[in-house]
Amino acid sequence: MSTKKCTKIYLFFVFFHLLIVLSYEEQQLNSCNIFEGSWIYDESYPIYDSLKCPFINQGLNCIKNGRKDQFYLKYRWQPTDCNLPKFNGENLLKNFRGKNFMFVGDSLSSNQWQSLACMLHAAVPNSNYTFDSTKDRSVLSFPEFNFTVTFLKDGFLVDLVVEKVGRVLKLDTLSQTEQWKGVDVLIFNSYHWWIHTGRQQTWDYFQVGDKLYKEMDHMAAYKIALTTWAKWIDSNVNPAVTEVFFQGISAIHARGKDWDEPQVKDCSGQTKPIEGSTYPGERYPGEAVVKSVLSNMTKPVNLLDITLLTQLRKDGHPSRVASGALNDCSHWCVAGVPDTWNELLYTMLLQK
């Protein structure tokens, strides 16, 4: 048999073997819960250098703000039963050429938007971009790919209106929906503003229909509001055109006793994740609300279920690095944990 023929046979078997491996990995990924897993140390992380990313809010750029330890940058999310595909920002831009993504929600949505902006910018550093940012909206575009990713601030999703009586949170009305129309990938988020009390609370009354309520269980109000949002999605979104995601509840690390370290006050000084794949603290009441509302929808909405993976990351917050006085144990350093949210978003998009 000639050398040339042997080479062809060898290449055929190599190619055939590769197809089998890729098919197996794809089947494994499709049957895997990518939100169950643990954090493992990986020297190849982070995906990008935050000092070279121009889209990060001052308070979240922890390295620039002087954070000394950098272990928190070196952890990769490892699902229990499969491996995540490596994030490829250029591939995302090419596959979604001519498309637009929009993050709608509170500052945790902004946290994820900033992360994705950095990941894409790092993937195509020589590609021109345009960037426009106002108080409630940030828009990053890559003209080469005709691709846009937007953050729209809307922490309740439903309307908060100032009236004579005071600040009224209208649980059954939506006014920003025109901006959601025509978007190819929508990633919504709403939770943290709902758990505020006292001076942090940004409303005076709830309203349902014509009735005002001075007091209402916050999770009951949250469920009414999410149901209002869900009805709009069911009535207005065409799944063949628009893919909808809901960012799950992101963890707060304000009390060490929540992760079985009662001697620890909060997230300050934490440098490593919680080991393993279980969190000793309680579940968030909003988790059940989100899953209940999504399960009753007629249109498909993908839950980006980040709760467990963020609960395990007591080390990933800005803490006191940014201001020295304000202790931030709810938002996340960029680069850092939100990069994993986008790796998971990328994986879910690939599965589509």
Side-chain angles (χ1 to χ4, degrees), residues 2 36 42 50 70 80 85 102 125 189 258 264 266 276 294 328 337:
S2 69
E36 291 181 355
D42 188 330
S50 63
Q70 296 189 19
T80 304
M102 179 180 283
N189 153 261
D258 289 343
V264 173
D266 50 41
L294 296 190
D328 187 350
V337 174

Side-chain angles (χ1 to χ4, degrees), residues 25-56:
E25 288 183 350
E26 185 178 356
Q27 289 176 16
Q28 192 181 37
L29 186 60
N30 288 337
S31 62
C32 171
N33 184 346
I34 59 176
F35 304 109
E36 291 181 355
S38 58
W39 291 95
I40 63 171
Y41 190 84
D42 188 330
E43 195 57 55
S44 69
Y45 276 61
I47 296 172
Y48 57 90
D49 182 353
S50 63
L51 295 178
K52 296 179 180 179
C53 181
F55 315 116
I56 307 173

